[in-house]
Structures are given as C-alpha cells and as structure tokens.
C-alpha cells in the first residue's frame, strides 16, 4: 500500500473533473435519438475513431494480462493476441467498406439484413443477449478485476470501494454522453494512458534493482523470456503459443476487438465513420497502434518484475494483505507501480483510471446498443419512440455495470477470462468471414455454430470430459483442445448449412444490392436478378487486392513491433533489418491501398 501525495490526488481528481465535464457537455446532443446516442450521427473522422479503439483496448486488465503472459511464457506468449492482427487487417482492407455500406446501427442488426424469417429474428435478439450481456460482461468483469487488484495493491482499498469510485464516474459520463461522450473522452484518455504507461516503464527500468535496459535484458531471470517466437524444441509451448494462434485462432474464434470479419465495438466505430475511407483509416490506425507500439511499455514492466518479484511468493511476501483468491502472476504489474515517485504515481494512477473508464464506457455503450436496438426495439416495445429507446439505453447501461461488477468480485485471474472467451467462440469465426462472400451461409449456420461451440466448450471446461480427453492422462495433448473444438464445431455447422434451406432469393438479393460484396460466391444469386438489378449492383472483386494489402500490412505492423523490440534489446543489426522490412512493406502497401481505392471508386 502507498500513500498518495497532494499532487497525486490533484492529478487524479482533475482527470475525473475533465471526463465528467465532457460527458455533460455532449449530453445535450447525444440524447436526441438512437443514431446520436449509439453512433454520434455517423459523422466521425478516422483519427478520432482510431484513437477511441486504441483507448478502449488499453483497459486496466491488459497490462495485467500481458504481465501474466510474459512472466509465464515470455514475450513470445503474446502471440495469443498478436495473431489477431491478421483478423484486424482483413477487416481493414476487406470488411470495413462492406460494414459501412450495410448502413445498420449495430452489427447485430446485420442478421435481419443478411438472413430472413423467424430464424433471423431469433438470431438477432439471441446474439444481442449472448454478446451484449454474456460475453460483454465477461470482458468488463476482467477489466474490473484488474482495477480491484490495483486498488488492493497500491491503495489498500477493498474491491467494492474501488469499483464504487471508478465505476460510478464511468457510469455517469457514459450513460449521459452516449457514444459521442465515449469517443470524445477516449481522445483525452488515450494520451493520459499512453503517458502513464511510458512514464512507468522508463522509471521502473531505471530502478537500482533493475539497473537500466542493458542490465534488464541480460539478467538471468529475463534472458530466456525475450524471444519473439517460442523455442521449436519446446514442442508443446511452440504449438500452443505460436502455431495454433497463427494457423487457427485468428480466423476461427470470436474475441472482442478481434472478431473475424469485423464486429462488436470495432464495427460500431466503422458504422459511425463519415464514409468508407474513414472507416478503413480508423481500423488500420487502431491495429498499428494496438500491436506495434503500445505493448512495449507493459512488456518492459513485466520483464523488470521478474527481477524485483521473481515469483508469486515474493509478491505475497511484499503484500501480505492481498487476498489469496486475487493472488497471481498478473499482480506483478500493480506491485511494480508501487515503486513510482510522487507526481509520476499520480499520472500513472490517472492513466490506469483512464484505461478503466475508456474500456468500460465503450463496452457499456456497445452492449446497451445491442439490448436497445436488437432486443428492446424488436421484441419488447416495437413502437418505442426515440426518446424511450435512449432512456432504455441508459437503464441497460446501469444494469450491465452492476452485474459486471458483481462478476468481477467473484473472479481471480485475467488470463482465465481471456481463455474462457476464446474457447467459447472457437469454431464460429469462419462463418463471420464467409457470410459476406458465400450465399449458402444461412441463419441456421450461425445458430448451430453458437450452440455447438458453447456446448462443447462447457463440457470440456466444466466437466470431467475435458480432463479425460486433454488432461495429464488424457487421450490427446492439452494443446489439441482448442483445434478439437474448432473442427467439431465447423463440421456441425457445415452439415446444418447443407441440411437446411438457403435464404430466399429476395433476402439474398437485397443483401447483395446493399453491400455489393462481389465474387464467385454470389454468382448464382446475381444470375437470378433482373438485368436492371445486375447493372445497379455491379462491383469489382477487391478481395485478392485486399488479401495482398492484409499480408503487406502484417509485414509492416509486425516488422514495426519487432524493430522496436530489437532496438530495446540493443540488437542493432536485427533492428535495422526489420526496419528495412517495415520500409519496403510500407511502400508496397501504400501502392496496393491506392489501387484498392481506385477499384472501389
């Protein structure tokens, strides 16, 4: 526990005052109608939306998660989320334009555009509850759990008190300010969070116990944690941490912020953009900052923690008042922050508060948009006025906040939450990619995939079956569990797809004419349109160019990530080689991107 100075308190209180002022300022326009409350009138610029997405994924649980990963599996362990860059850039160069053309208010509304009849209506409201409530609250609970741990370690606060203070302020500005309040405050919170993360990393690396960068990377506790790719000789770690994320996870699993084909709060921001180009620019900027730049301050603190607190026992010894159910490797990040001096401590605590508020406010507004637009308006009160829908959104925001807080108090580890979310979406991701380009995907495809993935995941996670199949004495190695769920789920939804009737020609033609995805997967539907409809929906096939841009983008972003790392490690030759990769891939990416714009226009 640390004592905050007057300067620290002033910095933190000033941040809260600014955030609340922004929320009250924009509340005059944000509450006019649901388009303003959930999408800010669809006129947001790319840079503001991009910063908002980066700020959202800052969150208080992310540094804890990265710390847990680095301390357990080294820097290479981060491939479990670095792999989602492939998904993100596919969204940038292929799906962002399609989402903006769809003109829906939420990505859940998409279901009644793409599918038809009772199955589409069921899928729409069920996914609104499944994602807007169940998955959304798991994500928020993870962020709140991190805030609880920070409060316990750094301030000696009970979890309930931490959530009451941070949660009430977040709830207030996000409920009154709507989406515009969330995005405008994200702009401020991004810079606060970035300054805090960088300041903490620089100071902590310079601690006498650490001794600077050179001493850090050469320390025996750290030296074997620096590799960017797991050791091939360590087969289980290599497959689990690298092969599965790169080969399977990115396209097969649903995760907030990394949805195959776009979705969630990323889709919400694309739908709020001024136009298609702004949607593309926002998502690319987000992916670059999210993967290439932002992780390094957290990684450095995590590596330094291995010197100061080499194991959990040393953390427990230093902080004996921490409850046993909250003790874990992820606690090391908060433990390291207790080393900060007055002033910088206030900035870092303000940055953590900023990360908390940014993430929670986004998830609250995003979840409430599902519950209002896709459940309340379609199933509960179809004739609800715009004012009633905004009011329902504010009530939904409060309910989501309270339930998520209760869940957080019952949980103990950020990595567990990450693994649960990844597992429960296994096998569904390919559908979200294919449904734009293959007419045969129908509502039953998605319904069967959700049921299969959820059921199999629960059986393997919460019953003896998982231990029997993938435990220490199981039939198969533990790292086969995720691919097993993906394969079985995929087989089930493929069978269901061909065993059920396709969507009607009217439904499919309406979707195609609205979004014009193009490609051979729609030939049968286009052939049945009238000549006038065919002419109106003619579009060039941009997917090959989009995939090429995605590959070049991956080389550019991963190159920037590794280049930064090599410079930090003092490996100048490798740093210059990767810098060359960044420059070359960047030049070609600009050319392909320009070509994509020309084709689309």
């Amino acid at each position: 526990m640390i004592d905050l100075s007057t300067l620290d308190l002033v910095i933190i209180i000033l941040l809260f005052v600014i955030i609340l002022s922004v929320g009250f300022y924009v509340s005059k326009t944000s509450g006019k109608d649901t388009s303003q409350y959930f999408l800010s009138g669809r006129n947001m610029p790319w840079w503001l939306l991009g910063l908002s997405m980066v700020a959202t994924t800052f969150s208080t649980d992310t540094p804890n998660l990265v710390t847990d990963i680095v301390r357990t599996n080294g820097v290479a362990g981060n491939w479990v989320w670095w792999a989602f860059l492939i998904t993100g850039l596919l969204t940038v160069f292929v799906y962002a334009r399609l989402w903006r053309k769809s003109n829906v208010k939420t990505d859940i509304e998409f279901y009644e555009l793409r599918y038809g009849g009772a199955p589409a209506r069921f899928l729409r409201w069920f996914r609104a509850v499944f994602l807007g409530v169940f998955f959304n609250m798991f994500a928020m609970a993870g962020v709140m759990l991190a805030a609880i741990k920070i409060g316990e370690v750094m301030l000696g606060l009970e979890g309930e008190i931490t959530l009451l203070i941070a949660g009430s302020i977040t709830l207030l500005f996000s409920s009154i300010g709507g989406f515009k309040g969330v995005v405008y405050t994200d702009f401020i919170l991004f810079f606060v969070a970035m300054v805090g993360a960088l300041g903490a990393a620089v100071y902590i690396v310079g601690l006498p116990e650490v001794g600077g960068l050179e001493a850090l990377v050469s320390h025996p506790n750290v030296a074997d944690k620096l590799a960017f790719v797991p050791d091939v000789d360590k087969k289980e770690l290599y497959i689990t941490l690298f092969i599965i994320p790169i080969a399977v996870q990115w396209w097969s699993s649903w995760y907030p912020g990394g949805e195959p084909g776009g979705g969630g709060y990323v889709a919400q921001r694309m739908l709020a953009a001024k136009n298609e180009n702004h949607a593309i620019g926002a998502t690319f900027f987000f992916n670059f900052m999210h993967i290439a730049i932002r992780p390094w301050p957290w990684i450095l603190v995590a590596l330094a923690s291995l010197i100061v607190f080499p194991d959990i026992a040393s953390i427990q010894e230093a902080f004996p008042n921490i409850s046993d159910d909250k003790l874990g490797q992820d606690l090391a990040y908060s433990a390291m922050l207790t080393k900060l001096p007055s002033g910088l401590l206030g900035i870092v605590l303000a940055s953590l508060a900023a990360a908390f508020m940014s993430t929670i406010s986004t998830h609250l507004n995003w979840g409430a948009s599902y519950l209002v637009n896709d459940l309340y308006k379609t199933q509960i009160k179809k004739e609800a006025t715009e004012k009633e829908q905004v009011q329902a959104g504010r009530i939904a925001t409060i309910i989501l906040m309270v339930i998520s807080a209760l869940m957080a108090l019952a949980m103990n580890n950020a990595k567990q939450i990450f693994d649960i979310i990844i597992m429960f979406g296994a096998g569904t991701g390919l559908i979200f990619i294919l449904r734009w380009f293959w007419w045969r995907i129908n509502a039953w495809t998605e319904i069967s995939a959700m049921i299969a993935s959820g059921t199999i995941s629960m059986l393997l996670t919460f019953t003896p079956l998982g231990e029997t199949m993938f435990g220490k004495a199981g039939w198969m190695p533990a790292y086969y569990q995720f691919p097993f769920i993906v394969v079985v789920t995929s087989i089930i939804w493929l069978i269901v797809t061909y065993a059920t009737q396709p969507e009607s020609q009217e439904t499919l033609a309406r979707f195609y004419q609205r979004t014009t995805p193009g490609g051979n997967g729609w030939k049968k539907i286009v052939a049945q349109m009238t000549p006038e409809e065919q002419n109106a929906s003619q579009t060039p096939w941009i997917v090959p160019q989009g995939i090429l841009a995605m590959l070049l983008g991956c080389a550019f972003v991963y190159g920037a990530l590794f280049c930064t790392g090599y410079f930090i490690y003092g490996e100048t030759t490798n740093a210059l080689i990767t810098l060359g990769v960044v420059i070359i891939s960047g030049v070609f990416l600009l050319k392909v991107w320009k070509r994509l714009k020309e084709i689309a226009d």
Side-chain angles (χ1 to χ4, degrees), residues 272-563:
K274 286 183 178 181
N275 53 43
E276 296 166 23
N277 288 330
H278 279 267
I280 293 168
T283 46
F284 182 79
F285 180 70
F286 158 63
N287 279 281
F288 177 78
M289 291 296 298
H290 178 52
I291 299 292
I293 304 300
R294 197 188 48 188
W296 281 110
W298 301 330
I299 291 172
L300 286 172
V301 173
L303 292 172
S305 75
L306 289 165
I307 299 174
V308 181
F309 301 105
D311 51 32
I312 293 179
S314 61
I315 300 174
Q316 189 172 31
E317 182 181 353
F319 303 95
N321 295 326
I322 300 299
S323 54
D324 291 341
D325 66 324
K326 297 295 188 286
L327 195 64
Q329 297 286 5
D330 58 341
L331 208 61
Y333 188 81
S334 303
M336 292 300 293
L337 297 184
T338 63
K339 305 285 185 180
L340 300 178
S342 176
L344 179 56
L345 178 62
I347 293 173
V348 170
L349 283 174
S351 75
L352 293 172
F356 175 88
M357 290 188 289
S358 176
T359 303
I360 294 298
S361 62
T362 286
H363 279 270
L364 289 174
N365 186 265
W366 166 45
S369 73
Y370 283 179
L371 294 179
V372 172
N373 192 64
D374 304 300
L375 180 62
Y376 177 75
K377 183 68 169 64
T378 61
Q379 302 296 321
I380 298 173
K381 193 171 183 179
K382 296 181 180 180
E383 304 302 321
T385 63
E386 289 290 328
K387 186 176 180 179
E388 288 174 329
Q389 290 178 62
V390 171
Q391 188 62 31
R394 288 172 172 155
I395 294 171
T397 299
I398 296 171
I399 293 172
L400 289 172
M401 186 73 179
V402 172
I403 298 177
S404 299
L406 293 174
M407 290 173 63
L409 292 169
M411 293 178 172
N412 56 37
N413 187 279
K415 185 67 166 58
Q416 291 175 341
I417 298 171
F418 178 88
D419 291 340
I420 288 172
I421 294 177
I422 287 290
M423 199 70 72
F424 271 67
T428 62
L430 189 58
I431 298 171
F432 304 141
I433 293 174
L434 291 178
R435 64 189 183 181
W436 293 91
F437 296 107
W438 186 29
W439 69 275
R440 195 60 181 81
I441 297 288
N442 61 28
W444 291 110
T445 306
E446 296 210 29
I447 293 171
S448 62
M450 280 193 306
I451 294 172
S453 178
T455 302
I456 297 168
S457 297
M458 284 191 290
L459 287 173
L460 295 180
T461 304
F462 301 113
T463 71
L465 179 61
E467 191 67 24
T468 301
M469 294 182 67
F470 302 101
K472 292 181 179 179
W475 307 338
M476 292 177 278
Y479 51 78
Y480 283 173
Q481 182 169 332
F482 181 84
F484 175 83
I485 298 173
V486 171
V487 170
V488 174
T489 299
S490 299
I491 290 172
I492 290 172
W493 68 251
L494 277 169
I495 292 172
V496 170
T497 299
Y498 283 106
T500 53
Q501 290 294 316
E503 302 297 336
S504 68
Q505 170 68 19
E506 180 185 0
T507 298
L508 295 171
R510 180 192 63 198
F511 172 77
Y512 188 86
Q513 289 170 331
R514 172 85 68 88
T515 61
T516 60
N520 292 332
W522 288 97
K523 273 189 173 181
K524 181 174 180 179
I525 305 305
V526 173
Q528 297 179 51
M529 294 180 185
T530 65
E532 292 78 12
E533 290 173 335
Q534 290 178 359
N535 290 332
S537 57
Q538 279 186 348
T539 185
W541 178 238
I542 66 167
V543 171
Q545 292 284 333
I547 292 174
L548 177 59
M550 177 197 75
L551 294 174
L552 290 169
C554 284
F556 179 79
V557 177
Y558 284 138
L561 171 70
F562 301 147
C563 178

Side-chain angles (χ1 to χ4, degrees), residues 46-115:
W46 68 269
W47 56 269
L48 188 56
L49 292 172
L51 283 175
S52 176
M53 285 188 272
V54 180
T56 293
T57 52
F58 242 110
S59 71
T60 45
D61 65 325
T62 313
N64 286 24
L65 173 64
V66 170
T67 301
D68 192 332
I69 289 170
V70 171
R71 286 174 64 90
T72 305
N73 295 314
V75 174
N78 286 287
W79 281 105
V80 296
W81 65 277
W82 285 347
F84 284 121
L85 173 67
I86 307 172
T87 308
L89 293 186
L90 195 64
T91 297
V92 171
F93 296 113
V94 176
Y95 295 103
R97 183 173 281 107
L98 298 174
W99 275 112
R100 196 62 186 82
K101 283 182 177 181
S102 72
N103 204 37
V104 293
K105 286 185 178 179
T106 68
D107 57 313
I108 301 296
E109 185 181 331
F110 168 90
Y111 289 114
E112 287 199 81
L113 173 65
R114 175 62 176 82
Y115 311 124

